[in-house]
Amino acid sequence: MACARVPLDEQQVTERGPLGKEHTLPALHPDRKEDRCFVPYKPLPEDGSPAKVEEFLEYARFITEDLEWLLALPHDKFWCQVVFDESLQRCLDSYLHHAPRSLDLAALTSSPAVAEMQRSVHRLVFLTFLRMATHKESKENFLTPAVFAEIIYENFLFDIPKILDLCVLFGKGNGQLLHKMIENIFTQQPSYYSDLAETVPTVLQVFDSVLEKCGLQCEGATAMEPMKLNAHKQPTAMTMSQQELVDIILYLCDSTTTIHAFLDIFPAACSTFHSHGFLSRLTSFYETAVPDLEKAVRKRNFDDKSLQEDLWKRLSHSCRKMVETAHLLLHHTCLQPILEGRENTPTFAEELLQYFTSFLPEKRFLSDYDEQFPIADDISLLQQALPVIDETRTSYLLQGVESAWDSVGRRKPQSQMRPKASSLLSANQGAACEAAAAATASSTSVKPQNVREPGGGESLRGAEAMLDVPRKGNNGAVCPVSGAELESLLSCIRDLLPDLGEGFLLACLEEYSYNSELVINNILEDRLAPNLDKLDRAMPRPVKEELPSVLSIRSNVFDDDEFDIFRRDQVDMSRIWKGRRKGESAREMLNDKQHIAEQKARYQAYETVVDEVVIEPGETAASYGLDDYDDEYDDTYDMNQVGANDLDGDSLLNRRPFTVPQVLRKGNKAEEEEEGEEEEEEEPLQNNVNRDQFVQDPALLRERAEARRAAMQQRKGFRPERTSNVVGQPKGQGQTLETFLDRRRKEANKNRVGNHNRRTMADRKRNKGMIPS
């Protein structure tokens, strides 16, 4: 072999020929390729017949052994096999073509052996593509970037269709790793951008072909050419054969899912799609084709109801992916530059508003888009980023959205309310942080260890991996990777370093932000952090602490009461009922005065008030129900009535007697009225000054109002109301931002005080005595 630190494309090797004679060859040469035949991938059996299952397992076993052998080859041998072995490329292409997608799971067999074999093939295929997309594996094993770009482009190791299939098959669960892989391909070989630009018109033909098959677009006719009367009548979605309808929906589902996966994994391609007017074509197709296809799936008679349910599920999935694709294009071409504060922010805002305006005629698409991504949120972000945005235009857009909901006969969810400014600012900051995190992640290189197997470890979930919910560790902090991803990271590391314990590997992953490649590299080069060097490398995985039951640690004011079912085995169910008691009418419930009788005894205790009790000789205070004298009693705040019983006459005893509430009195109303009249006769007439006056003195009212205003102004922190300046400077000299904001505030709030409360003000004047009655 050649010396280290020399690119593979410049290395020379010396080998013995068939006759035993040594000769020198380039490291990349067809004669160095091993003779090995890679078999193509067979699709998963749909009917589950034993013969087809056995055939699939046999082919998959051959592929697994061959790919494991390929990945174990050294750097130079690997690239010789990849470049010069055509059977290997046919094998990889067959997997990309026939591998099951996420919605192809219903008809697949659920055999554990088949599921395990499919996961193995899926993982090895992705590792092979990942190594093919890496031009530098180490400091000794690498290719010159220019030669690497030429090799992958001229030998068709990667092309746009392959990249699209890679995204839809391996995107979920391996999105970040796949993004780095595709980004490296496009960075090293910019010719792929021109290939992508040539591919977009082909993608647009997908929409045209579906419209043509559904009879919604005449074949070969342009927008300006009228359809001939003798032209052949195209079948519609309602009249075409059932198999044709199934093929159209499957074709549409696969196409929309693939396009969305590619743009989601590689957002840099959004600008290419955007430049070809993809968004306007997408919305127009959605508005034209989706209602027609939905009507056909709903109203056509299907012998197999499961087929009808599967078609409806796939059509709904296609609609969701088209809406999400439109949002991706708007986000990365218009919203993201505004959130990042780039130059020409008004230009991006104007382009976004123009797109929203173009959506208004597409009622169905607009309502579905607003349901998933509320347009009011994006408009609020624009108003925060650009305060001078035309409010009339934004109001027109929001009214158009409401009109779209009404025209399709649906009601907008009440949860879609315009968020507050604080939430919008936090969303803006979150987007900026997300962009910064993505930029930081893109600066690191990742090797083919972090691979997400399809379907996790439970059952076969197709070649497309599923997302998992972030889990919590023992310390309560949210782990950045899911449980299945963490197990995959541990499995990948232990495949290379089986002598290390899982506890030690978990500590290393946590230290290096769950970057398996960095962990392996630091372990092999003995460059671990000091805190990790002190750990036992055979340390087992810590046992997960069982969290205490919520019921055992909860605390509630109703604990241990008669209805606490968590601490009582038996509860008196006769005291529990739902709604009105059986056999009890509303009148009986209202006539029940039991609560009055219960309160009567409480009021009777206050009926007799005794100031002093005369104790007869030989008796004690206890015999009268009084407490004994307490020498320690604190009488500081007692009000002793000194001299209250003197004969000189004191007003302390002239108290108002205790009055029993009217509801507790036993006497009839006539006696109470007579007693009331007698009391009124004994009371002297009050002074005329205390009587209510119908019209008060206006001067006195003005003095009181002036006093209140003066007291208010003397309070701490009082600030007079700011006067609104809506007049501004003369026309042609420009207006200040304060004048502009005051005018917009007046326009928004003019209906609050403008001639809508005449009656209220009239009542106010009449109460002040300004209007005679």
Side-chain angles (χ1 to χ4, degrees):
M1 298 294 293
C3 299
R5 299 185 184 276
V6 177
L8 180 61
D9 50 276
E10 298 179 3
Q11 294 180 10
Q12 302 286 330
V13 295
T14 302
E15 295 182 351
R16 293 183 180 273
L19 302 178
K21 183 179 180 180
E22 293 185 352
H23 60 284
T24 303
L25 295 174
L28 285 176
H29 195 273
D31 293 343
R32 303 194 65 211
K33 176 180 72 68
E34 299 289 341
D35 292 333
R36 196 177 187 101
C37 181
F38 291 82
V39 298
Y41 174 82
K42 290 288 185 180
L44 287 170
E46 297 182 0
D47 52 1
S49 62
K52 291 186 177 181
V53 170
E54 184 65 27
E55 180 186 17
F56 169 80
L57 291 177
E58 184 177 5
Y59 272 79
R61 193 176 299 111
F62 289 152
I63 295 175
T64 302
E65 294 174 357
D66 292 340
L67 292 182
E68 287 178 348
W69 170 83
L70 177 67
L71 292 173
L73 290 176
H75 186 252
D76 57 336
K77 288 285 187 178
F78 172 82
W79 278 103
C80 288
Q81 203 72 27
V82 167
V83 174
F84 303 112
D85 193 345
E86 296 182 358
S87 65
L88 171 62
Q89 298 304 320
R90 287 195 296 267
C91 173
L92 297 176
D93 291 348
S94 64
Y95 183 82
L96 296 181
H97 180 69
H98 296 292
R101 271 61 175 172
S102 61
L103 294 178
D104 299 333
L105 307 176
L108 301 181
T109 179
S110 58
S111 171
V114 173
E116 182 63 30
M117 188 59 67
Q118 171 62 27
R119 279 195 292 268
S120 299
V121 175
H122 178 82
R123 178 174 179 273
L124 291 172
V125 169
F126 182 63
L127 288 175
T128 303
F129 276 109
L130 200 58
R131 190 175 183 185
M132 288 166 52
T134 306
H135 68 283
K136 183 177 181 180
E137 294 185 3
S138 64
K139 295 180 179 179
E140 294 77 17
N141 300 321
F142 63 95
L143 284 165
T144 305
V147 176
F148 168 76
E150 182 181 358
I151 288 176
I152 63 174
Y153 191 77
E154 297 298 334
N155 294 279
F156 295 95
L157 301 185
F158 291 98
D159 53 26
I160 299 301
K162 285 184 180 180
I163 294 174
L164 293 176
D165 287 332
L166 287 173
C167 291
V168 75
L169 287 175
F170 306 101
K172 290 187 177 179
N174 301 293
Q176 186 177 1
L177 195 59
L178 194 60
H179 169 76
K180 299 179 186 304
M181 166 183 163
I182 298 175
E183 187 179 34
N184 184 54
I185 293 173
F186 276 81
T187 302
Q188 302 301 332
Q189 181 53 273
S191 299
Y192 283 109
Y193 280 107
S194 59
D195 291 351
L196 179 62
E198 296 176 359
T199 306
V200 174
T202 307
V203 176
L204 291 174
Q205 290 180 2
V206 173
F207 302 146
D208 295 336
S209 61
V210 172
L211 292 176
E212 178 186 337
K213 293 294 183 182
C214 295
L216 301 174
Q217 177 177 332
C218 183
E219 182 179 4
T222 61
M224 301 300 296
E225 180 181 353
M227 185 176 181
K228 298 181 180 180
L229 296 176
N230 58 353
H232 178 67
K233 184 177 181 182
Q234 292 288 340
T236 63
M238 290 294 296
T239 60
M240 67 175 57
S241 64
Q242 179 174 308
Q243 186 59 41
E244 288 180 343
L245 179 63
V246 172
D247 293 341
I248 287 175
I249 294 180
L250 292 179
Y251 179 55
L252 178 62
C253 180
D254 183 67
S255 301
T256 55
T257 304
T258 303
I259 295 171
H260 173 267
F262 174 65
L263 294 179
D264 189 26
I265 296 297
F266 189 57
C270 290
S271 58
T272 305
F273 280 76
H274 180 74
S275 61
H276 285 76
F278 183 83
L279 186 57
S280 59
R281 293 285 299 276
L282 177 65
T283 57
S284 176
F285 169 79
Y286 191 98
E287 188 72 17
T288 306
V290 168
D292 198 60
L293 293 174
E294 286 183 347
K295 178 182 177 182
V297 176
R298 268 198 319 264
K299 296 189 176 182
R300 288 187 58 151
N301 294 324
F302 290 85
D303 297 333
D304 187 3
K305 294 299 181 183
S306 62
L307 176 61
Q308 184 179 15
E309 294 177 359
D310 182 66
L311 291 180
W312 182 262
K313 179 178 68 174
R314 290 177 182 272
L315 184 57
S316 301
H317 179 79
S318 303
C319 296
R320 185 169 63 254
K321 291 304 176 183
M322 283 189 282
V323 171
E324 291 176 356
T325 301
H327 178 70
L328 281 175
L329 293 173
L330 287 176
H331 179 77
H332 291 291
T333 57
C334 299
L335 278 175
Q336 191 69 26
I338 297 175
L339 295 176
E340 295 176 356
R342 300 182 189 173
E343 297 181 358
N344 300 326
T345 299
T347 305
F348 292 113
E350 178 64 25
E351 187 176 5
L352 180 63
L353 292 177
Q354 288 181 359
Y355 272 114
F356 285 156
T357 306
S358 66
F359 292 167
L360 294 181
E362 320 293 348
K363 303 293 185 181
R364 173 61 191 276
F365 173 80
L366 184 59
S367 60
D368 290 349
Y369 182 90
D370 186 64
E371 183 177 8
Q372 295 192 47
F373 309 101
I375 294 180
D377 295 354
D378 297 337
I379 292 179
S380 298
L381 285 175
L382 291 180
Q383 290 177 341
Q384 291 189 34
L386 299 171
V388 296
I389 194 170
D390 189 2
E391 188 172 358
T392 305
R393 187 176 183 183
T394 58
S395 301
Y396 171 74
L397 288 175
L398 295 178
Q399 291 175 4
V401 174
E402 299 293 339
S403 176
W405 281 91
D406 296 337
S407 62
V408 298
R410 297 162 58 190
R411 297 187 61 185
K412 188 174 182 179
Q414 296 295 330
S415 59
Q416 290 190 12
M417 302 295 292
R418 292 188 64 177
K420 297 181 180 179
S422 58
S423 63
L424 291 174
L425 289 175
S426 62
N428 192 350
Q429 295 170 357
C433 293
E434 182 181 357
T440 304
S442 63
S443 62
T444 60
S445 60
V446 181
K447 291 291 181 64
Q449 279 83 16
N450 185 9
V451 180
R452 175 73 181 278
E453 298 183 1
E458 298 179 0
S459 61
L460 179 62
R461 305 299 293 273
E464 181 178 353
M466 308 299 290
L467 289 176
D468 288 317
V469 179
R471 64 181 185 88
K472 286 191 176 182
N474 294 336
N475 58 353
V478 178
C479 184
V481 296
S482 63
E485 290 173 337
L486 183 61
E487 295 298 332
S488 178
L489 292 174
L490 290 174
S491 176
C492 292
I493 300 177
R494 286 180 62 84
D495 288 344
L496 298 175
L497 306 169
D499 57 324
L500 300 180
E502 291 189 357
F504 175 74
L505 294 180
L506 284 174
C508 294
L509 287 172
E510 184 178 358
E511 177 70 21
Y512 295 108
S513 303
Y514 297 89
N515 188 336
S516 58
E517 185 239 345
L518 192 58
V519 171
I520 294 174
N521 185 58
N522 289 339
I523 292 176
L524 294 178
E525 296 185 3
D526 199 14
R527 295 190 306 176
L528 289 175
N531 59 329
L532 297 177
D533 252 342
K534 300 177 182 178
L535 297 178
D536 181 11
R537 300 205 170 192
M539 182 174 60
R541 193 170 189 168
V543 180
K544 185 178 180 181
E545 299 179 1
E546 292 291 338
L547 297 177
S549 174
V550 178
L551 298 178
S552 62
I553 61 175
R554 75 172 189 129
S555 180
N556 195 283
V557 295
F558 300 107
D559 286 346
D560 299 319
D561 65 0
E562 57 178 327
F563 301 112
D564 190 358
I565 60 174
F566 300 108
R567 291 181 171 83
R568 291 179 178 270
D569 296 333
Q570 295 181 354
V571 178
D572 187 6
M573 301 301 296
S574 62
R575 300 196 58 193
I576 302 174
W577 65 89
K578 182 179 180 181
R580 187 181 300 167
R581 290 185 179 181
K582 296 182 179 179
E584 182 180 10
S585 63
R587 185 171 296 278
E588 292 177 354
M589 182 177 62
L590 294 175
N591 292 336
D592 185 9
K593 306 301 181 182
Q594 182 180 359
H595 61 284
I596 297 179
E598 295 174 354
Q599 298 293 331
K600 188 173 182 180
R602 177 180 299 177
Y603 281 98
Q604 284 180 349
Y606 298 98
E607 187 173 3
T608 304
V609 180
V610 180
D611 293 330
E612 293 183 2
V613 178
V614 180
I615 301 178
E616 299 294 336
E619 296 182 358
T620 61
S623 59
Y624 290 91
L626 303 177
D627 296 335
D628 294 337
Y629 173 73
D630 186 5
D631 185 61
E632 300 297 330
Y633 177 73
D634 185 7
D635 58 353
T636 303
Y637 300 101
D638 285 355
M639 296 181 62
N640 298 325
Q641 300 178 5
V642 180
N645 295 332
D646 293 346
L647 298 179
D648 55 355
D650 197 311
S651 60
L652 292 176
L653 297 179
N654 297 332
R655 301 178 180 178
R656 182 177 179 181
F658 177 78
T659 303
V660 180
Q662 186 175 359
V663 70
L664 300 178
R665 296 181 183 178
K666 294 182 179 180
N668 53 17
K669 296 182 179 180
E671 296 178 357
E672 295 175 1
E673 291 178 356
E674 292 178 359
E675 294 176 0
E677 292 177 358
E678 293 177 359
E679 292 177 359
E680 290 177 359
E681 292 177 358
E682 294 176 359
E683 294 180 358
L685 294 177
Q686 298 181 357
N687 193 0
N688 294 334
V689 179
N690 296 330
R691 290 186 299 177
D692 294 337
Q693 298 180 4
F694 180 74
V695 178
Q696 298 185 12
D697 187 5
L700 181 59
L701 293 176
R702 286 192 294 271
E703 292 178 1
R704 293 176 181 175
E706 185 64 29
R708 285 195 299 269
R709 284 192 293 270
M712 183 181 301
Q713 294 178 0
Q714 292 178 0
R715 293 178 183 174
K716 184 178 180 180
F718 172 80
R719 291 183 300 178
E721 296 184 358
R722 186 178 63 84
T723 58
S724 177
N725 182 18
V726 297
V727 178
Q729 299 178 1
K731 186 175 181 181
Q733 298 183 9
Q735 304 297 334
T736 63
L737 179 61
E738 180 180 1
T739 302
F740 174 77
L741 294 177
D742 288 340
R743 289 180 179 178
R744 189 169 71 175
R745 188 181 301 108
K746 178 182 178 182
E747 178 69 18
N749 300 319
K750 67 181 181 180
N751 61 342
R752 183 169 61 87
V753 295
N755 293 333
H756 298 292
N757 51 358
R758 294 194 186 103
R759 188 167 185 176
T760 304
M761 298 303 295
D763 293 340
R764 181 179 179 184
K765 291 181 180 180
R766 185 177 295 106
N767 293 336
K768 290 186 176 182
M770 299 182 184
I771 303 176
S773 59

